[in-house]
Amino acid sequence: MSIIKHYAYCHPDTILSNRSPNTSHLMRNILWSFPPKDTYKINCDASWISAQTNASFGFIMQNFTRNLKAAGIGSFRASSAEEAEAVTLLHTVQWAITKKIGNLVIEGDILATIMYVQGKCNSIQWQCIAFIDEVKNLIN
């Protein structure tokens, strides 16, 4: 079921036409879209349980032709879920820069962090500010 959910997220047109009655409740609100022509999209996410355990992150990159182009994972320590998301975003941006990826869209699921990067919010935890400011410097 987990694989079906992830596949449905990345390939909504395929899975929606072929889904079985048992899995239809899993795929109601698919909002992900492929990037515009000649553009890459990276989706990144973090997993955090507690400050006493390692957090982990992962990302996938696809192009406008719906082909998986790259993926990556890693682990680190973080004091909160928001800090884990901030560090994940930093690792993802650093990876894209080292690979010289241009025409890039990065998506994440923690609204406060994304809004802070865009200059639309300043209500993030103080521990995250240095990570997100570094992301802002790198993308400029």
Side-chain angles (χ1 to χ4, degrees):
M1 296 302 269
S2 179
I3 293 170
I4 291 171
K5 286 192 324 186
H6 291 309
Y7 186 83
Y9 182 73
C10 293
H11 302 281
D13 55 338
T14 303
I15 198 73
L16 290 176
S17 62
N18 296 324
R19 68 182 172 191
S20 69
N22 296 338
T23 61
S24 63
H25 68 281
L26 299 175
M27 296 163 259
R28 283 190 197 125
N29 296 319
I30 299 170
L31 302 174
W32 194 85
S33 62
F34 286 92
K37 187 174 183 193
D38 299 323
T39 303
Y40 293 98
K41 183 183 275 189
I42 296 179
N43 287 80
C44 60
D45 199 9
S47 176
W48 181 86
I49 296 172
S50 76
Q52 289 73 40
T53 61
N54 283 340
S56 60
F57 75 93
F59 65 86
I60 61 168
M61 182 174 75
Q62 291 185 304
N63 66 5
F64 67 98
T65 63
R66 302 180 178 194
N67 290 325
L68 177 67
K69 290 303 200 181
I73 59 171
S75 65
F76 52 88
R77 290 289 180 139
S79 62
S80 68
E82 187 173 272
E83 183 179 1
E85 294 284 352
V87 172
T88 294
L89 185 59
L90 178 59
H91 281 298
T92 302
V93 169
Q94 288 172 331
W95 176 87
I97 288 171
T98 62
K99 299 297 183 187
K100 298 179 178 19
I101 307 291
N103 297 328
L104 177 66
V105 174
I106 298 177
E107 285 186 353
D109 64 356
I110 188 157
L111 185 61
T113 302
I114 299 297
M115 289 181 69
Y116 186 85
V117 169
Q118 295 173 339
K120 299 177 183 175
C121 170
N122 60 2
S123 63
I124 63 170
Q125 297 172 354
W126 66 269
Q127 300 95 323
C128 302
I129 292 174
F131 297 117
I132 301 304
D133 284 346
E134 180 64 17
V135 168
K136 290 166 77 172
N137 288 336
L138 289 171
I139 61 177
N140 287 332

